[in-house]
């Protein structure tokens, strides 16, 4: 398969004092994932470091700021032509960072690629319509109040 496009992106895992996870709802009228919940983050701009992307996207999509920490995982997804908005096969790589010192007033993005933001327990997140990236992140984080038998797995 010939790859027509590549996308580098950065995302954050934000947890509150109740160990809930922060998610945003993706919207794009012609995208098959529109209406599904995702991690705060997005595409890297030219010359931008992934940590800079993560901080910028967090603020744009949620109104929050945070200290961007270590990389907790790298998400990789190949899209067949029929799965991609462009109609061309491609590859997306998402660098997922942990965060600390999350501050600010939570708000939804205006005129962007997300239309809602909210905190969810890990069990609540597993019940939402969500993108594969969320399942990948759920497989990386542990919920101290839940049993250890999670059905979330990183995509292969």
């Amino acid at each position: 398969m010939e790859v027509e496009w590549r996308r580098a992106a950065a995302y954050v895992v934000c947890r509150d004092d109740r160990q809930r996870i922060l998610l945003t709802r993706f919207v794009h009228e012609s995208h098959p994932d529109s209406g599904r919940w995702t991690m705060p983050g997005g595409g890297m701009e030219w010359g931008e470091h992934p940590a800079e992307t993560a901080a910028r996207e967090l603020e744009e999509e949620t109104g929050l700021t945070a200290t961007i920490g270590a990389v907790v995982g790298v998400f990789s997804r190949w899209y067949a032509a029929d799965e991609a908005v462009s109609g061309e096969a491609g590859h997306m790589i998402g660098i997922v960072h942990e965060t600390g010192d999350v501050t600010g007033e939570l708000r939804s993005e205006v005129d962007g690629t997300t239309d809602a933001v909210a905190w969810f327990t890990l069990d609540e997140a597993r019940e939402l319509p969500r993108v594969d990236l969320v399942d990948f992140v759920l497989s990386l984080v542990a919920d101290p109040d839940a049993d250890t038998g999670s059905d979330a797995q990183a995509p292969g």
Side-chain angles (χ1 to χ4, degrees):
M1 171 180 9
E2 186 173 331
V3 175
E4 299 292 330
W5 58 268
R6 290 172 183 83
R7 180 174 191 251
Y11 299 91
V12 295
V13 179
C14 294
R15 305 286 296 268
D16 68 4
D17 57 355
R18 294 174 31 202
Q19 294 304 302
R20 296 178 302 172
I21 193 167
L22 185 65
L23 300 177
T24 58
R25 189 172 56 201
F26 176 71
V27 290
H28 186 288
E29 70 180 51
S30 62
H31 197 285
D33 286 333
S34 188
R36 294 184 178 275
W37 290 86
T38 189
M39 304 306 301
M44 293 171 57
E45 294 180 358
W46 180 255
E48 194 173 44
H49 188 278
E52 294 170 336
T53 300
R56 176 181 53 78
E57 289 282 348
L58 176 64
E59 196 284 323
E60 287 175 6
E61 293 180 353
T62 71
L64 302 178
T65 59
T67 302
I68 305 301
V71 172
V72 296
V74 176
F75 176 78
S76 176
R77 168 121 193 254
W78 291 90
Y79 290 84
D82 63 342
E83 297 174 306
V85 173
S86 66
E88 299 174 325
H91 184 207
M92 191 278 277
I93 294 177
I95 300 165
V96 182
H97 290 268
E98 66 183 2
T99 60
D101 304 320
V102 179
T103 61
E105 188 171 325
L106 195 63
R107 57 126 178 94
S108 297
E109 184 176 26
V110 177
D111 296 326
T113 57
T114 63
D115 70 349
V117 60
W119 295 99
F120 297 97
T121 66
L122 298 188
D123 287 338
E124 290 169 338
R126 289 182 186 103
E127 297 301 317
L128 296 170
R130 62 196 180 276
V131 300
D132 292 342
L133 173 62
V134 174
D135 289 334
F136 175 75
V137 169
L138 290 173
S139 74
L140 298 175
V141 298
D143 184 352
D145 298 323
D147 66 282
T148 57
S150 171
D151 59 351
Q153 296 184 14

